[in-house]
Amino acid sequence: MIQRTSKFLMANLGAEMERFFYWKEKNDPQMLAAAYDRARKIIEQIAKCPDMATRAQEIKILDDVINDLASKTPKLNILPSYIHSYFAPFVNNAVKTI
């Protein structure tokens, strides 16, 4: 079983955000809400990781971005490609350790 480190959780959050964008594109509000809820739970787990204490501001910004993306009236102009680029190193690192 893979240890749920902050890097592992960040990779999972990246995958969840991919699902979020998929369901948003498919215009499925129920699945979109489920992906958002899972992303929020992962963010909470990441924030509790001791090695992320020094990155608390980054995690807060990431949380704000995710909330904005789920908003009916987003204020930020965040493209899916930005999110994909942000999470790609975490996913690549997680794949290398499996």
Side-chain angles (χ1 to χ4, degrees), residues 8 10-12 19 24 30 37 40 42-44 57 60 63 69 77 82 84-87 92 95-96 98:
F8 176 80
M10 288 294 282
N12 279 343
R19 285 187 281 277
K24 190 171 188 173
Q30 187 174 12
D37 290 341
R40 295 284 308 124
I42 296 170
I43 280 279
E44 290 172 8
Q57 186 172 1
K60 172 67 172 118
D63 186 42
L69 288 167
N77 186 22
Y82 299 164
H84 179 75
S85 294
Y86 176 83
F87 285 108
N92 290 338
V95 170
K96 288 178 187 176
I98 294 179

Side-chain angles (χ1 to χ4, degrees), residues 13-73:
L13 181 56
E16 201 57 61
M17 291 310 298
E18 293 294 330
R19 285 187 281 277
F20 175 90
F21 288 120
Y22 175 82
W23 293 118
K24 190 171 188 173
E25 184 178 310
K26 295 292 183 188
N27 199 26
D28 187 325
Q30 187 174 12
M31 294 301 288
L32 180 63
Y36 170 73
D37 290 341
R38 288 189 301 270
R40 295 284 308 124
K41 288 176 184 172
I42 296 170
I43 280 279
E44 290 172 8
Q45 291 176 351
I46 293 167
K48 292 177 185 176
C49 290
D51 64 323
M52 296 304 276
T54 59
R55 297 176 76 178
Q57 186 172 1
E58 181 180 353
I59 300 306
K60 172 67 172 118
I61 291 168
L62 186 55
D63 186 42
D64 291 344
V65 166
I66 292 169
N67 289 328
D68 186 71
L69 288 167
S71 171
K72 291 183 180 185
T73 56

